[in-house]
Amino acid sequence: MASKKESHPLPDVHGARELPSVVVEGYSLQLRGKDGFIGDQASQTAFRALLERWRQKRRRKGKDPLGGRHSKDLSKQTLDEALGAKKASEAGDVVHAAVEEFAEELASVIERFMRHPSWKGVERIVIGGGFPESDVGERAILQAAAILQDMKLSVQLARIGHETDDAGLLGWVHLVPPPLLAHHDAILALDIGGTNVRCGIVKMRMKRAKDMSRAKVLRREKWRHKDDKPNRKALIDRLADMLETQIRYCKKKGIRLAPYIGIACPGLIAKDGSISRGAQNLPGDWEGSNFHLPSELCKRIPTIHGAPTMALMHNDAVVQGLSELPFMKDVKRWAVLTIGTGLGNASYANKRAETG
């Protein structure tokens, strides 16, 4: 909602937990270990740090097989090529060692999460974020699954079914206030991470599937804000520009766009749309009490196709996980881990289907 003074006929609940078919049991879980939060051990940042340590060991014995660039600057392609080379090589050995150690850390983090009440009984964990899209990430997840099996921990690991750039947008179709679904074709969604921003048009396609399993990202723009290092105002201005571009496209194509913006970002989202904690990777002071991103965007985009704009915010891991909601009907409890700049997490409990 644009501000407290305005009113909408629809509920304005940021960070909603109770949804029509599922309950968000918990998200942005932070468990401490001896060296800080255990989730920090299983992020892409942590993997790059592990790789750098293995390379340092190799440098003491001679030349670094992966060259002179720091591990955080090596491309996924470079690492995948080293891992997948047909012939054994020192570069492959180093990457293999980092993957194996990371898999152990990931399995350890999952084991700790599974002991938390909000994760009790989780049967399946879908892994999202950018890491699983690489061969290195896929290998680490497979090895972590094998380690969990050896630990006698009964939980399935699966990759998220959508592209990472789509999943953080698609999940919003399950958070749209129901009255908007009947009269519109699509919604606008933002996925704001520590490295990238994604802005897209999500078509609900309810005629094809009422459970919105056929929802589709119709058009998407991606901005790597980490390279530009914008301040908070510049970031908001760019977000508004991205959204306005998508609005013009919908108007041109005759798409019935709902007056709604879904905003996914890291952190614990309060009911009023502020961020309680966990926004440290975002530019500027996002946790300040005087900052409210949904209101800021509604000031810049007060209406969409003539109707007052509603902007709601939720945690990015929750939204990514909800993109898998239609495909989780065979389990009671499930969860998501998003391996990106940090480690996002959320857990869910499916509601029982009503019988008539």
Side-chain angles (χ1 to χ4, degrees):
M1 186 180 281
S3 72
K4 299 280 184 183
K5 295 180 181 179
E6 297 177 3
S7 62
H8 286 278
L10 303 174
D12 180 10
V13 181
H14 303 274
R17 299 286 191 101
E18 186 86 16
L19 304 178
S21 61
V22 69
V23 175
V24 181
E25 292 285 350
Y27 70 90
S28 200
L29 182 62
Q30 293 185 334
L31 300 179
R32 286 191 176 274
K34 61 180 181 179
D35 299 318
F37 293 115
I38 65 165
D40 293 341
Q41 302 166 205
S43 65
Q44 286 206 64
T45 305
F47 172 75
R48 298 291 176 145
L50 283 175
L51 179 61
E52 186 65 18
R53 287 203 292 272
W54 279 101
R55 291 173 66 193
Q56 287 172 354
K57 292 178 183 178
R58 189 57 59 100
R59 288 180 199 130
R60 297 189 194 108
K61 300 177 181 179
K63 189 177 179 181
D64 186 334
L66 287 170
R69 299 180 71 185
H70 193 280
S71 295
K72 64 182 176 62
D73 298 320
L74 293 176
S75 69
K76 291 180 181 178
Q77 182 180 352
T78 296
L79 300 181
D80 285 348
E81 287 174 353
L83 187 71
K86 293 182 180 180
K87 293 183 179 179
S89 68
E90 291 187 358
D93 290 345
V94 169
V95 176
H96 271 288
V99 166
E100 289 175 3
E101 187 172 354
F102 182 81
E104 291 174 2
E105 296 285 4
L106 178 58
S108 176
V109 168
I110 290 172
E111 190 273 334
R112 279 289 307 276
F113 275 27
M114 293 284 288
R115 284 191 262 149
H116 192 271
S118 67
W119 279 60
K120 186 178 180 181
V122 164
E123 302 166 68
R124 183 178 300 146
I125 302 170
V126 289
I127 311 290
F131 191 64
E133 292 190 321
S134 65
D135 292 341
V136 164
E138 189 169 2
R139 181 74 62 87
I141 292 166
L142 287 171
Q143 290 192 17
I147 293 168
L148 290 170
Q149 191 172 20
D150 289 342
M151 294 167 66
K152 308 299 183 187
L153 196 59
S154 181
V155 63
Q156 303 170 6
L157 296 191
R159 273 188 57 180
I160 210 157
H162 306 284
E163 290 184 30
T164 297
D165 288 341
D166 287 349
L169 305 174
L170 283 168
W172 273 107
V173 299
H174 303 289
L175 289 160
V176 179
L180 286 177
L181 298 176
H183 305 292
H184 300 91
D185 301 321
I187 60 168
L188 294 173
L190 287 168
D191 182 14
I192 307 169
T195 301
N196 298 299
V197 168
R198 301 164 184 89
C199 176
I201 303 164
V202 184
K203 202 163 186 181
M204 293 169 283
R205 305 208 295 180
M206 291 185 68
K207 289 182 180 179
R208 296 198 179 193
K210 289 185 178 180
D211 65 357
M212 289 181 283
S213 58
R214 301 297 297 276
K216 180 181 180 181
V217 176
L218 189 64
R219 194 169 185 264
R220 183 186 68 220
E221 180 182 355
K222 184 175 178 179
W223 169 39
R224 187 178 166 89
H225 67 75
K226 188 176 181 180
D227 294 338
D228 296 340
K229 299 178 181 177
N231 60 28
R232 195 170 72 187
K233 181 182 182 303
L235 180 76
I236 295 167
D237 289 342
R238 179 67 182 270
L239 294 180
D241 288 343
M242 294 168 80
L243 289 164
E244 286 171 346
T245 298
Q246 306 293 14
I247 292 169
R248 288 193 296 270
Y249 177 86
C250 288
K251 190 172 183 178
K252 181 180 178 182
K253 296 294 183 179
I255 297 167
R256 296 184 304 166
L257 187 63
Y260 179 90
I261 302 169
I263 309 163
C265 67
L268 191 65
I269 312 301
K271 288 184 178 181
D272 66 357
S274 59
I275 303 176
S276 302
R277 60 166 168 79
Q280 61 271 13
N281 290 325
L282 300 175
D285 180 14
W286 284 57
E287 297 180 16
S289 59
N290 63 340
F291 177 63
H292 191 260
L293 179 59
S295 295
E296 292 296 328
L297 288 176
C298 286
K299 287 177 186 175
R300 288 163 172 77
I301 307 173
T303 63
I304 295 176
H305 292 183
T309 302
M310 168 185 279
L312 294 183
M313 192 153 70
H314 215 313
N315 174 267
D316 55 349
V318 170
V319 177
Q320 273 205 45
L322 288 175
S323 72
E324 293 291 301
L325 178 57
F327 316 108
M328 294 292 137
K329 295 175 182 177
D330 60 326
V331 294
K332 293 180 180 178
R333 299 290 305 275
W334 53 286
V336 62
L337 290 176
T338 59
I339 306 177
T341 307
L343 181 73
N345 63 83
S347 58
Y348 312 83
N350 289 335
K351 294 180 178 179
R352 290 182 179 180
E354 293 184 3
T355 57

